[in-house]
Amino acid sequence: MTRHRTLRRALLPALIASAFAAPLQAADLLTITRDALENNAELASARSQTGSVEAGRNVERADLLPQVNVSADVTHNRQYESQRGAGAVSGSGTAGDDLYNTARLSLEATQALFDARNSREVEQAERQIDQQTYQLAATEQQVLIDVSSAYFEILRAYEVLEARRAQERAIGRQLEQAREQFEVGLIAITEVEEAKAAFDQARAVRIAAESDLQVRFEVLERLTGQRYSSIDALGEEVPIQPPTPDDRGHWVELAMENNPLVLASEAGVEVSRSSVEIARSERLPTVNAFANYRLDDSDSDVVEGHNSVSQVGLRASLPLFTGGRTQASIRQNTYRLEASQYDFEAQRRDTVQQVRSRFTQVSNDVSTVEARAQAIVSNQSALDATRAGYEVGTRNIVDVLNAEQNLYNAVADHASARSDYVINLLSLRQQSGTLDVPAVEEVNDWLDGGSVSFTLPEESDSYDGAMEIGEPPRLRE
């Protein structure tokens, strides 16, 4: 066991610092989650979209507030006349200016007294804010589950890689023994070739597992905008237990009350209903109060000086016929309302199905983790028995190699089952609408402080320091 740990520590200096130019850092799940909440691009976009929708309410509300407009113009005029008086001299025109300037200034204030369309547009803007708020909450929860899934996919890939490395070393040791036995004439060359083929296969699987680990680290960088040299590993004592409460109906009720996608879809129905009301309001009159003032000035010899006029009054308008536009708009938005209601029902059904599936998966994961742990013990016993049979000649090397492969497959399956349990548990919280930072912090307490590093071990066919035959697998320090 000491030799195994020494080998792993010897590989740690081979961290991929040479591949990462930017500074690297180690972190636990809670730290990475906070990084994602601050830096995730999709979440930042959703927050900006929420701000845009909130500003839209003030845009619609502005039409119901006083409106003040001022306009002015200055004009240079040239007047052409052909009339002549009876006593006018030939070639001369009538009296008056041919060139003169005018100026006009007007000021008008209006206040909507009754405008059903604008009032309902404000109501729709309020409902759009509700919908976008739920969408933002859904995006935040999606970021939490994406980060947590990426984190535990790294831990899964790491433990699988450790199992594959241990498998390669064990089969390498078996190959070494087979070569020694062949050299002294105890076995045939075919057994050496069998061992060599198994070793090559184990090496290929190990290389693939290393690539998978590297890719998993890249996912965290995309989600958080940060690079991490290592993350904390999952502890041995993880509380693998059924969801609390252990009642599927309770989780479905939670989802109907809290799932942000369900709530956003329900708010979308209200937004569509507002659109129908806006279309219907096109039939109603509008009433505005107004006050205006106009000043005209001219330097014409005929009309010189200025005059002004002011008005105060009410202005009402009622559409009598719009070419069928209003009725068509009502029908169009009514269909959209029906579509949004069907979308809400589809989202509700999908959420119910997702909650039930996640609940079942978590419940099954409890038994699966226990079964996978027992499979390690059983396969270790089978390997020991096979090796003993090989020593006395009742089993061949293929049997030993298969038993070793079964053992390390069981180790990898156990690691995957533990990661599946955590991811499915958090997914159940997401579907029920209860996934938040405290829930992530609770899972973060399951980390034992051991580190999982993104390493690039040197390529080698050597198996010096390999695990001794019969030594049980231990994948973490």
Side-chain angles (χ1 to χ4, degrees):
M1 185 62 197
T2 302
R3 296 174 63 190
H4 178 50
R5 290 183 175 179
T6 302
L7 176 62
R8 290 180 56 201
R9 291 193 182 99
L11 292 176
L12 291 180
L15 295 175
I16 110 178
S18 59
F20 279 159
L24 302 177
Q25 63 185 73
D28 60 7
L29 175 60
L30 187 59
T31 299
I32 295 174
T33 296
R34 289 170 176 165
D35 288 343
L37 292 176
E38 292 178 3
N39 304 312
N40 183 267
E42 289 84 357
L43 182 55
S45 174
R47 287 169 177 161
S48 296
Q49 182 65 26
T50 301
S52 173
V53 173
E54 289 175 347
R57 171 180 53 190
N58 294 331
V59 172
E60 300 299 340
R61 184 180 293 166
D63 291 334
L64 297 176
L65 299 178
Q67 311 289 313
V68 180
N69 297 293
V70 62
S71 63
D73 62 75
V74 177
T75 307
H76 178 69
N77 302 275
R78 179 183 292 272
Q79 182 174 333
Y80 299 93
E81 297 183 1
S82 61
Q83 295 90 345
R84 297 177 182 271
V89 179
S90 176
S92 64
T94 60
D97 295 337
D98 292 330
L99 300 174
Y100 62 95
N101 300 311
T102 59
R104 175 175 296 175
L105 174 67
S106 63
L107 178 67
E108 183 176 60
T110 61
Q111 171 62 58
L113 300 180
F114 178 78
D115 191 327
R117 176 183 175 86
N118 285 341
S119 297
R120 288 166 183 172
E121 285 176 342
V122 173
E123 294 174 0
Q124 184 183 57
E126 294 283 355
R127 294 168 182 174
Q128 288 173 335
I129 291 175
D130 293 338
Q131 183 184 28
Q132 182 58 35
T133 300
Y134 292 131
Q135 291 286 0
L136 176 60
T139 303
E140 289 177 345
Q141 290 196 5
Q142 188 61 49
V143 169
L144 292 179
I145 192 63
D146 286 346
V147 169
S148 299
S149 297
Y151 190 98
F152 283 96
E153 287 296 341
I154 290 176
L155 298 187
R156 182 207 307 270
Y158 173 75
E159 295 198 30
V160 170
L161 174 58
E162 286 289 274
R164 298 313 178 193
R165 286 174 175 170
Q167 177 181 352
E168 181 184 8
R169 290 191 296 269
I171 294 178
R173 180 60 179 170
Q174 191 68 45
L175 173 59
E176 182 180 0
Q177 289 182 346
R179 285 172 174 169
E180 292 173 353
Q181 291 173 341
F182 171 72
E183 290 174 357
V184 298
L186 295 179
I187 61 173
I189 188 61
T190 55
E191 296 200 30
V192 176
E193 294 299 332
E194 292 281 2
K196 181 62 167 61
F199 175 75
D200 291 340
Q201 177 63 25
R203 179 170 172 269
V205 172
R206 184 262 302 167
I207 293 173
E210 288 177 345
S211 299
D212 186 52
L213 178 61
Q214 296 173 27
V215 171
R216 299 299 180 184
F217 267 94
E218 293 294 332
V219 175
L220 277 186
E221 181 181 353
R222 179 185 66 81
L223 292 171
T224 65
Q226 305 289 332
R227 290 181 175 178
Y228 306 92
S229 62
S230 62
I231 63 175
D232 287 348
L234 193 62
E236 292 290 346
E237 300 300 326
V238 175
I240 307 294
Q241 56 190 10
T244 305
D246 191 6
D247 179 8
R248 188 174 67 173
H250 174 81
W251 288 95
V252 171
E253 291 178 3
L254 276 179
M256 294 301 98
E257 295 175 359
N258 300 294
N259 184 287
L261 289 178
V262 173
L263 298 177
S265 183
E266 186 176 17
V269 174
E270 297 305 316
V271 171
S272 297
R273 183 172 285 112
S274 296
S275 296
V276 175
E277 296 301 320
I278 290 172
R280 288 174 176 169
S281 66
E282 294 288 353
R283 302 172 178 174
L284 302 177
T286 60
V287 180
N288 297 305
F290 70 91
N292 59 49
Y293 173 79
R294 190 179 75 184
L295 173 65
D296 294 307
D297 186 33
S298 174
D299 63 1
S300 170
D301 291 338
V302 176
V303 182
E304 186 174 3
H306 67 273
N307 68 323
S308 61
V309 62
S310 62
Q311 295 176 322
V312 176
L314 297 177
R315 182 181 297 122
S317 64
L318 176 65
L320 296 180
F321 180 70
T322 58
R325 177 185 180 88
T326 301
Q327 284 299 114
S329 179
I330 292 173
R331 289 195 301 272
Q332 179 187 46
N333 286 283
T334 299
Y335 285 126
R336 289 175 177 173
L337 172 59
E338 291 180 0
S340 67
Q341 291 171 332
Y342 288 126
D343 290 340
F344 168 62
E345 178 62 19
Q347 181 62 57
R348 189 192 68 81
R349 293 179 185 180
D350 180 70
T351 301
V352 170
Q353 186 268 328
Q354 290 292 334
V355 170
R356 290 173 176 172
S357 297
R358 292 293 185 273
F359 181 89
T360 302
Q361 288 174 336
V362 173
S363 300
N364 291 341
D365 286 340
V366 175
S367 301
T368 300
V369 172
E370 181 180 356
R372 295 297 186 189
Q374 183 59 42
I376 295 177
V377 176
S378 299
N379 279 281
Q380 181 66 63
S381 299
L383 176 59
D384 293 340
T386 302
R387 283 173 175 164
Y390 179 70
E391 294 294 332
V392 298
T394 59
R395 307 298 291 268
N396 58 35
I397 196 170
V398 174
D399 296 330
V400 176
L401 295 173
N402 288 337
E404 286 178 340
Q405 183 177 0
N406 291 337
L407 171 62
Y408 291 106
N409 285 342
V411 172
D413 290 341
H414 179 254
S416 294
R418 295 208 314 162
S419 294
D420 285 340
Y421 169 78
V422 178
I423 293 173
N424 288 330
L425 180 62
L426 291 175
S427 295
L428 176 61
R429 298 289 298 269
Q430 179 202 15
Q431 292 297 327
S432 64
T434 59
L435 179 60
D436 52 17
V437 174
V440 174
E441 188 173 4
E442 181 181 345
V443 173
N444 191 72
D445 293 338
W446 299 349
L447 307 177
D448 64 357
S451 63
V452 171
S453 300
F454 183 9
T455 64
L456 288 176
E458 295 181 2
E459 186 70 20
S460 174
D461 291 335
S462 173
Y463 28 81
D464 292 338
M467 203 167 48
E468 296 292 341
I469 294 178
E471 182 180 353
R474 291 294 298 265
L475 302 183
R476 280 187 304 277
E477 296 178 349

